[in-house]
Amino acid sequence: MDNKQKRFFLTEDEIPTQWYNIQADMPNKPLPPLNPKTHEPLGAEDLYPIFAKDLCHQELNITDRWIDIPEEVRDQYKYYRSTPLVRAYGLEKALGTPAHIYFKNESVSPVGSHKLNSALAQAYYCKKEGITNVTTETGAGQWGCALSYAAKVFGLEAAVYQVKISYEQKPYRRSIMQSYGAQVTPSPSMSTRAGKDVLTRDPNNQGSLGTAISEAVELAMNTPNCKYVLGSVLNHVALHQTVIGLEAEKQMAMAGEYPDVVIGCFGGGSNFAGISFPFMRHNIAGDTKTRFIAAEPASCPKLTRGVFQYDFGDLSGLTPLLPMYTLGHNFMPANIHAGGLRYHGAGMIISQLLKDGYMEAVDIQQSETFKAGLLFSKTEGIIPAPESCHAIAAALREALVCKETGEEKVILFNLSGHGLIDMSAYDMYLSGSLQDYEVTDEDVSKNIAELEKII
Ligand SMILES: *Cc1c(COP(=O)(O)O)cnc(C)c1O
């Protein structure tokens, strides 16, 4: 019998009562978002037409290190938090690595991913302000599912624009959103000016997150009592996700360890921020030397091959200009299965942290990620989301380096979600028909050249 403890949990009382706002500790604060027309820095009030007021203030808060989690939100967290921290003994054994591998299992949330951590918070703040309707976009559908459920919990109506390719490839996510009572529209659609513009130019357009965001923002701006909510990229979303890392910090202490390497997959940055920032604060303070690795798809490599530049969050240029590592808002990534990672830019905080050397990024081809995901399935029993497979692949690379050097490093990665609704992607991998996509330097430089040079 082996008596080694495998999973670490917190009691309800130990669930964090505050989120961690890394902006307060950053030596270089993120540059401000800009008004898209005047290029003047935006204040919180300028964001009020789009987002709930409390969220606007969280977005631009560079002074308060800790932000209270409202009791109503924390109460909802108790339905699935703490999520387990798991020591991946099976994976370690299969790899023959001396590394200690841990993962934080966010796939146990009712909707199957970390996205609910911010959806609940955003729905709560909208409700508190007297908002009745929320609208958003979703790629693979995880954010749409999380928001649909959170809206229902707080008594709001949700309208979701789902990227058309996912709407067709992943019909079950649409059914889940509809089961929670949301209205789901494939994007581009004819219901908005932004959608019509795209369809007029290209009737077969398969959609992108950028287009779907334009549609949702447009709906929010034209509908009374309706706010837009976003599942990633923004500072307040990263803030809400820090509940992941704050729990993990306590759980690692229960395991008697501290991570040498922290890894998250990277779409817009929210789950990576969530697992990393609480640990990164000790690096910023000079107390630790943990490495932080964001794992992005080779087909959408904004961190490794993009430029640091002001760019729009959406395709039509309705959002504020955000300082970010970007491939250009016109960049159309290949239809990889990790739909949640197909976004052209990175969050403002992450972009500044990468620029300042507090973190690293790697880009990985999808065949390597599915190979890693299948080894994880066979050894730990959980089918990971295609997005999460990127984090696993990066963790395997690190663990295999340890095998060569004999180092007993402690590796922590975030399992951002499960892949039980993504089995068609696994089918393709297993049948050998999954493709890798190489982005050419021309693709990258073409879109970047079209950006207005503001930095
Ligand atoms: C949305 C999503 C991601 C990517 O988004 P981030 O904001 O970068 O975390 C990763 N994993 C899963 C399971 C997702 O649903």
Side-chain angles (χ1 to χ4, degrees):
M1 272 263 294
D2 117 45
N3 288 319
K4 284 181 269 182
Q5 187 170 347
K6 294 176 181 65
R7 301 198 303 164
F8 301 87
F9 285 99
L10 305 177
T11 64
E12 279 190 7
D13 286 346
E14 291 167 331
I15 295 173
T17 55
Q18 295 179 311
W19 293 302
Y20 169 59
N21 178 21
I22 197 171
Q23 296 194 79
D25 286 335
M26 287 168 69
N28 296 322
K29 307 299 178 198
L31 297 172
L34 302 180
N35 179 307
K37 299 210 176 70
T38 63
H39 294 184
E40 289 298 315
L42 291 175
E45 309 74 42
D46 299 309
L47 301 172
Y48 286 176
I50 310 182
F51 302 110
K53 294 194 177 90
D54 284 314
L55 298 170
C56 300
H57 289 282
Q58 289 178 358
E59 186 64 21
L60 299 179
N61 186 332
I62 56 171
T63 46
D64 301 314
R65 178 173 296 128
W66 299 101
I67 310 249
D68 287 343
I69 303 177
E71 216 30 68
E72 291 85 344
V73 174
R74 196 165 171 274
D75 234 35
Q76 289 298 323
Y77 281 175
K78 288 179 189 168
Y79 281 94
Y80 63 100
R81 311 205 68 87
S82 66
T83 61
L85 175 82
V86 186
R87 173 84 184 263
Y89 285 111
L91 185 61
E92 288 172 19
K93 191 162 163 231
L95 292 170
T97 177
H100 296 189
I101 306 176
Y102 291 84
F103 64 94
K104 180 73 168 151
N105 185 1
E106 290 295 307
S107 82
V108 302
S109 96
V111 299
S113 80
H114 69 288
K115 294 257 173 33
L116 194 58
N117 302 329
S118 185
L120 287 168
Q122 295 190 51
Y124 164 78
Y125 287 117
C126 286
K127 182 67 179 180
K128 184 178 157 221
E129 195 179 313
I131 302 303
T132 54
N133 292 62
V134 286
T135 179
T136 193
E137 77 297 326
T138 194
Q142 283 112 327
W143 168 244
C145 290
L147 196 266
S148 301
Y149 175 60
K152 191 47 72 186
V153 166
F154 287 105
L156 304 167
E157 296 295 324
V160 181
Y161 288 94
Q162 184 173 14
V163 177
K164 192 181 280 170
I165 181 88
S166 313
Y167 185 91
E168 286 162 5
Q169 277 182 354
K170 306 192 171 176
Y172 292 144
R173 285 254 162 65
R174 167 179 47 75
S175 333
I176 295 173
M177 290 185 262
Q178 290 167 335
S179 302
Y180 291 135
Q183 184 199 320
V184 189
T185 309
S187 168
S189 77
M190 293 300 278
S191 71
T192 63
R193 152 125 258 134
K196 271 184 208 149
D197 283 351
V198 173
L199 287 174
T200 312
R201 268 182 278 129
D202 173 13
N204 294 322
N205 190 286
Q206 293 297 289
S208 69
L209 278 175
T211 306
I213 294 174
S214 298
E215 293 207 84
V217 171
E218 189 182 322
L219 183 74
M221 296 207 289
N222 296 335
T223 314
N225 256 324
C226 176
K227 294 289 177 200
Y228 170 65
V229 287
L230 185 60
S232 183
V233 182
L234 296 173
N235 301 344
H236 64 263
V237 185
L239 173 75
H240 304 150
Q241 294 296 352
T242 58
V243 68
I244 302 173
L246 292 167
E247 284 183 1
E249 194 184 357
K250 292 186 190 180
Q251 292 163 305
M252 290 295 301
M254 291 166 78
E257 305 227 63
Y258 192 88
D260 297 303
V261 187
V262 176
I263 298 170
C265 66
F266 199 94
S270 77
N271 92 89
F272 174 79
I275 189 83
S276 312
F277 289 177
F279 292 102
M280 205 181 281
R281 80 184 196 274
H282 304 301
N283 270 23
I284 295 176
D287 297 334
T288 50
K289 290 207 169 103
T290 303
R291 285 172 60 217
F292 299 92
I293 306 174
E296 63 181 3
S299 57
C300 195
K302 60 239 165 198
L303 297 175
T304 51
R305 294 170 67 189
V307 288
F308 185 69
Q309 168 74 51
Y310 271 102
D311 192 10
F312 294 107
D314 66 330
L315 186 72
S316 322
L318 293 176
T319 69
L321 282 161
L322 306 173
M324 48 157 81
Y325 275 93
T326 179
L327 294 164
H329 58 274
N330 287 322
F331 183 81
M332 283 282 175
N335 291 327
I336 54 161
H337 287 277
L341 307 186
R342 295 177 70 235
Y343 184 68
H344 66 272
M348 293 184 275
I349 296 176
I350 297 278
S351 294
Q352 190 64 47
L353 291 169
L354 180 67
K355 188 161 178 284
D356 291 343
Y358 285 102
M359 54 174 280
E360 312 161 33
V362 291
D363 60 322
I364 308 180
Q365 288 287 3
Q366 65 175 348
S367 55
E368 181 181 341
T369 69
F370 277 103
K371 187 170 174 229
L374 280 173
L375 180 64
F376 182 79
S377 308
K378 286 173 185 143
T379 53
E380 299 294 326
I382 303 168
I383 306 278
E387 291 84 0
S388 313
C389 288
H390 290 70
I392 298 171
L396 294 199
R397 286 184 182 182
E398 293 298 319
L400 290 173
V401 171
C402 290
K403 186 175 178 175
E404 267 170 36
T405 60
E407 284 172 294
E408 253 186 48
K409 281 196 180 152
V410 178
I411 300 170
L412 167 65
F413 71 87
N414 193 41
L415 185 73
S416 52
H418 69 67
L420 292 175
I421 307 163
D422 303 289
M423 295 316 293
S424 61
Y426 280 90
D427 271 353
M428 286 187 74
Y429 178 79
L430 291 169
S431 68
S433 50
L434 192 88
Q435 270 181 39
D436 280 338
Y437 295 92
E438 203 56 71
V439 180
T440 65
D441 289 336
E442 272 166 22
D443 288 339
V444 173
S445 49
K446 179 169 69 74
N447 288 291
I448 288 171
E450 287 168 10
L451 297 179
E452 250 183 294
K453 293 282 174 295
I454 302 173
I455 292 181

